[in-house]
Amino acid sequence: DVPLSPRGVRLEIEGGGRTNESFVQRLFAGVYRGGSFRELQQTCADGVLSMAQLGIYKTIDIHVAQTSKPLSPEVVVKVKEKFWLYGGTEVGISTSSKEPVMKLHGLMRNLFGNAESLHAQISGGHSQKGSLSLTFTKPKVFTPRLPHSPPTGTFEAAANYDGGTVRDGNFMEKSSGLSLRLRSDDSRHQLGYQYTWRESAPTGKSTNNSVLESTKPTVKSSLQ
């Protein structure tokens, strides 16, 4: 194949919706690297795969073609986003208490136009006063130093609170936690921090010493 002119490539994004066009262009940064037309097609296929993995698009279509100008191909990406808000309800059996538990969960996609997401879940049951968990995810957070390379890596922050769960019928346990994590796209490399707090209180007037010992508040933090 005849080498293409990097400056001659035209990239057009159609139907981006809530997504910032500059974010999509970063995913296809490799089209400006030059190379052959076949290499350009492979770069575009990699960009489509990266877009599909974000989970915010319903359809992704791409058209790569030569134009009337020599060595100046045209890349047109047409997308249709999923609805930005999703929610649901689940009813199941707790694995610890063996009692019915109801869960309400919601997902907000593409919060700020760069594929960010926020997942929230509220649950409760007879032995559980109520719990709340929030998870924020931001993909493609690192821009490689190599020119014309697409962004990579994912940042994730999660927080949870358990308002009280009966454990073994002897005490009520409350807990909260926070975790921060950076990971590579293939999840082979990651760095994270986790913080956990727990507090327990006896459920009855008479408790033995072993139960009282286990109800002391605990705090744990770790790098992972």
Side-chain angles (χ1 to χ4, degrees):
D1 292 348
V2 179
L4 303 175
S5 170
R7 294 184 180 181
V9 177
R10 190 174 77 87
L11 175 63
E12 182 178 344
I13 313 297
E14 297 182 1
R18 294 167 57 89
T19 308
N20 294 326
E21 184 171 326
S22 60
F23 176 75
V24 180
Q25 289 176 338
R26 289 173 60 203
L27 298 180
F28 288 89
V31 302
Y32 301 108
R33 194 181 299 132
S36 66
F37 187 76
R38 184 174 302 175
E39 290 172 333
L40 174 64
Q41 290 178 311
Q42 182 59 51
T43 298
C44 291
D46 294 339
V48 170
L49 179 60
S50 295
M51 293 183 72
Q53 292 172 342
L54 298 175
I56 62 176
Y57 297 108
K58 184 179 294 184
T59 60
I60 305 172
D61 295 317
I62 188 167
H63 178 71
V64 184
Q66 292 281 15
T67 64
S68 56
K69 296 181 179 180
L71 308 181
S72 299
E74 179 182 65
V75 179
V76 180
V77 183
K78 297 181 179 181
V79 298
K80 185 176 182 181
E81 292 185 355
K82 297 178 181 179
F83 189 63
W84 71 277
L85 184 62
Y86 170 81
T89 305
E90 296 179 17
V91 178
I93 302 297
S94 171
T95 56
S96 57
S97 64
K98 308 301 181 182
E99 296 177 352
V101 175
M102 175 173 284
K103 296 181 180 180
L104 303 176
H105 58 89
L107 174 64
M108 290 181 282
R109 302 184 180 98
N110 207 15
L111 283 177
F112 309 116
N114 297 306
E116 307 91 346
S117 66
L118 179 65
H119 181 264
Q121 179 174 286
I122 301 174
S123 63
H126 178 72
S127 298
Q128 185 180 39
K129 287 191 174 181
S131 67
L132 170 66
S133 66
L134 298 171
T135 303
F136 174 81
T137 304
K138 171 66 179 79
K140 310 301 179 184
V141 292
F142 298 116
T143 301
R145 293 185 178 181
L146 187 66
H148 308 307
S149 295
T152 183
T154 299
F155 170 74
E156 183 178 278
N160 62 81
Y161 172 75
D162 187 344
T165 301
V166 176
R167 303 293 185 187
D168 302 326
N170 293 319
F171 55 88
M172 177 74 73
E173 181 182 86
K174 297 181 180 181
S175 65
S176 61
L178 173 69
S179 67
L180 305 173
R181 190 177 305 278
L182 287 169
R183 67 173 186 271
S184 61
D185 287 346
D186 58 8
S187 298
R188 295 178 59 185
H189 306 285
Q190 59 182 348
L191 174 65
Y193 170 78
Q194 186 169 12
Y195 169 87
T196 305
W197 170 86
R198 285 188 174 88
E199 182 182 44
S200 302
T203 56
K205 295 182 178 180
S206 60
T207 53
N208 56 44
N209 292 333
S210 62
V211 171
L212 291 175
E213 183 68 22
S214 64
T215 59
K216 292 181 178 180
T218 60
V219 175
K220 296 181 180 180
S221 63
S222 62
L223 289 174
Q224 301 174 341

